[in-house]
Amino acid sequence: MLSLLQMADSDSLLPKSSVPGLIPTLNYTGWMTEKLDRYSADFAQYAGTVNNSVLDIGCAYGVATLVALKNGARVLASDMEPAHLEILTKRVPKRDRERLRTQTSTLPNSDFPTADFDAILAARVLHFLNGDDIRLSVSKMFNWLRPKGRLYLVTDSPYIGPWACHAQRYEERKNSGHEWPGFVEDYRSLLPASSNPNKQKEFINPLDPDILTRECINAGFKVISAEFLPGSTKHAKGKEHAGIIAFKP
């Protein structure tokens, strides 16, 4: 276990946050949670039981990677922002560093060897992609996993963030059979005046457990569980995120 002093030193490397429970990313694409949701925690525990490497893609500052390494896992941590990976590497205790690899990559253009991982986590990443890119990314993850390997996906749902004002529209679209009912074309217009819209995505594509299930099954996965998950802030009501755990037959 990390000592209190080591934990304090590790946390000092992170940017300051105005939102308790969330740490802002350096590239203005979103936030990293300070605590693991149940599915990410399951990944970190499972990662310590397998024989081969696991992938944490979109890892930010490594909230899941750090726990997986502590559990004995060998982790390839990947993120689109190199500075995030530099901070993560500095946060890893010396005893765990030989089991950490890092690689800069951005979905859906990320590429890794076929059948290389026993588990993959993509937490709070896919909702930044459009439907076609989500489909391509999940298909790639299927190829990157070894047989029986597990996939863990966690995304923001339509019930969190500035886009929560469109939750009713999402529900109406879903009931009418819309393929991507949570898609918000005008994401920048929903941001507070203090935000710089030029540093934000033009759209956001929040998902739900049914959509994650559909996409995983279409890619060839077998689903273990899929459900809404609570957020990590004190205002969480229970449906802030959508999660799925699946495996490659």
Side-chain angles (χ1 to χ4, degrees), residues 59-116:
C59 64
Y61 310 107
V63 62
T65 289
L66 290 170
V67 180
L69 289 170
K70 185 179 71 174
N71 289 338
R74 287 184 287 160
V75 184
L76 173 55
S78 182
D79 198 86
M80 66 187 299
E81 175 53 60
H84 292 166
L85 299 177
E86 292 175 9
I87 291 173
L88 166 57
T89 300
K90 292 177 182 177
R91 299 182 75 204
V92 175
K94 289 183 179 180
R95 68 173 183 273
D96 293 335
R97 287 179 185 169
E98 66 178 11
R99 288 182 282 104
L100 172 70
R101 293 180 291 144
T102 62
Q103 180 175 324
T104 303
S105 73
T106 304
L107 289 172
N109 299 318
S110 304
D111 282 303
F112 301 98
T114 298
D116 201 41

Side-chain angles (χ1 to χ4, degrees), residues 158 162-171 181-184 186 189-190:
W163 55 89
C165 63
H166 290 315
Q168 183 176 349
R169 184 179 72 175
Y170 145 77
E171 292 173 351
F183 188 85
V184 177
D186 57 344
S189 70
L190 303 178

Side-chain angles (χ1 to χ4, degrees), residues 18 28 191-197 200:
S18 60
Y28 304 96
L191 297 172
S194 59
S195 300
N196 184 343
Q200 302 288 338

Side-chain angles (χ1 to χ4, degrees), residues 174-217:
K174 183 174 182 179
N175 289 335
S176 67
H178 196 290
E179 189 173 31
W180 304 100
F183 188 85
V184 177
E185 302 88 344
D186 57 344
Y187 173 52
R188 291 178 178 176
S189 70
L190 303 178
L191 297 172
S194 59
S195 300
N196 184 343
N198 294 325
K199 293 183 177 180
Q200 302 288 338
K201 294 278 290 185
E202 293 182 4
F203 66 86
I204 202 80
N205 196 12
L207 308 174
D208 64 31
D210 292 336
I211 296 172
L212 291 176
T213 296
R214 180 192 73 202
E215 294 306 314
C216 284
I217 290 175

Side-chain angles (χ1 to χ4, degrees), residues 116-168:
D116 201 41
F117 303 108
D118 277 341
I120 296 174
L121 170 68
R124 305 185 69 230
V125 176
L126 293 186
H127 54 267
F128 291 113
L129 305 180
N130 64 35
D132 289 342
D133 288 344
I134 290 173
R135 194 160 286 159
L136 175 58
S137 296
V138 174
S139 177
K140 283 188 170 186
M141 292 176 196
F142 184 88
N143 291 330
W144 299 336
L145 280 169
R146 297 168 65 88
K148 306 303 180 183
R150 289 190 182 184
L151 177 66
Y152 295 80
L153 302 177
V154 180
T155 74
D156 283 358
S157 82
Y159 301 107
I160 191 176
W163 55 89
C165 63
H166 290 315
Q168 183 176 349

Side-chain angles (χ1 to χ4, degrees), residues 18-66:
S18 60
V19 183
L22 299 175
I23 305 296
T25 59
L26 298 177
N27 51 13
Y28 304 96
T29 58
W31 305 76
M32 184 190 79
T33 59
E34 289 188 290
K35 296 182 180 180
L36 294 178
D37 61 81
R38 285 190 293 106
Y39 280 19
S40 297
D42 191 288
F43 162 82
Q45 187 279 327
Y46 181 75
T49 70
V50 298
N51 297 322
N52 300 286
S53 295
V54 300
L55 172 65
D56 183 3
I57 190 164
C59 64
Y61 310 107
V63 62
T65 289
L66 290 170

